[in-house]
Amino acid sequence: MGYGKDGRRLVLYAITGRSENSRNRVIRMTDGIVRTFPYDESKVEDPSLIIYNALCMIGDKIICTNGEHTDVIYDTLSSGGDMSDALIRFAYEPDAPAYTPRISGVLGDDGYSMSIARKDGDSVLRLLYSYGKEDGIGHIIHTYNGNGDPLPSFDSIPARIDITEDIVSAVWDSLGRSFRVALFAMYGDEVSILNEKEGDGGKA
């Protein structure tokens, strides 16, 4: 999430999966809302944590998350609240033993916020990061911090990145074919959707 060198806004959301249930997904965009869908409905085991609205718009802001809290943030902002008000309303996912963190971002014309809610002992650690607009620069946040069993939660600050013209393909290639599921990118008015189950994806 950030801004290109020409000032255009960038939101990039990538999905990876290790289980067959998690990998059995594609991304679709309809009426400005980006949502995950089953690729093969006959193979869906539990849709509760894998099917959700991943991105939506509210005014001049773009909301992007890795779960059902997209709707929580939208409702909070619609009611006059802010990102911190929304963050207190959700926790990590109840998918023991991974307890996948819930990550989110809200991007405006002159800055953006990113958050993570992750398990911390028997409690929830909620962290919020805010950034001003800097052309050519963005930040990236993950759910996990490498491999492991169970997978270790992301426990660093969002990484500062250079936003280059080839960032969409660079991120897609970096995911690795064993785990990558889908990628959505909105760069100014340009939208790209890549779905592993559909080969190299395509343009929306």
Side-chain angles (χ1 to χ4, degrees):
M1 183 170 281
Y3 306 88
K5 293 180 180 179
D6 57 3
R8 288 186 298 163
R9 300 187 299 181
L10 170 72
V11 173
L12 194 155
Y13 175 60
I15 299 175
T16 59
R18 285 164 173 77
S19 69
E20 179 58 31
N21 191 49
S22 183
R23 289 194 297 270
N24 181 37
R25 289 183 288 172
V26 293
I27 284 177
R28 301 276 185 253
M29 184 174 187
T30 305
D31 297 329
I33 296 176
V34 177
R35 184 171 175 80
T36 61
F37 288 88
Y39 177 71
D40 184 343
E41 293 191 8
S42 69
K43 294 182 178 180
V44 174
E45 298 172 9
D46 178 7
S48 62
L49 296 177
I50 63 170
I51 306 301
Y52 51 84
N53 293 331
L55 179 146
C56 66
M57 308 280 293
I58 179 169
D60 65 344
K61 293 181 172 59
I62 305 170
I63 301 168
C64 186
T65 87
N66 70 330
E68 62 184 11
H69 50 301
T70 302
D71 301 331
V72 173
I73 296 174
Y74 180 88
D75 291 343
T76 303
L77 298 185
S78 296
S79 301
D82 58 22
M83 187 71 155
S84 60
D85 297 321
L87 182 57
I88 200 66
R89 294 177 57 192
F90 55 84
Y92 50 84
E93 296 181 0
D95 58 340
Y99 297 111
T100 301
R102 296 191 191 272
I103 59 174
S104 57
V106 176
L107 175 68
D109 291 329
D110 56 1
Y112 53 100
S113 298
M114 298 178 123
S115 74
I116 184 168
R118 62 180 175 85
K119 194 174 190 299
D120 184 36
D122 293 328
S123 186
V124 184
L125 179 62
R126 298 177 174 92
L127 300 172
L128 177 63
Y129 307 90
S130 296
Y131 304 95
K133 182 179 181 182
E134 185 176 355
D135 291 350
I137 298 297
H139 288 80
I140 190 166
I141 192 169
H142 304 270
T143 49
Y144 302 119
N145 188 23
N147 294 314
D149 188 15
L151 292 167
S153 295
F154 182 80
D155 59 0
S156 303
I157 63 174
R160 180 182 169 96
I161 58 171
D162 293 324
I163 295 181
T164 59
E165 290 294 330
D166 65 343
I167 189 168
V168 174
S169 58
V171 170
W172 181 248
D173 291 341
S174 73
L175 297 177
R177 300 199 67 174
S178 297
F179 299 123
R180 72 185 184 191
V181 175
L183 179 149
F184 170 87
M186 179 183 290
Y187 196 6
D189 294 330
E190 297 179 10
V191 171
S192 298
I193 296 177
L194 301 172
N195 288 304
E196 182 66 24
K197 290 288 189 181
E198 298 176 343
D200 61 356
K203 294 284 185 178

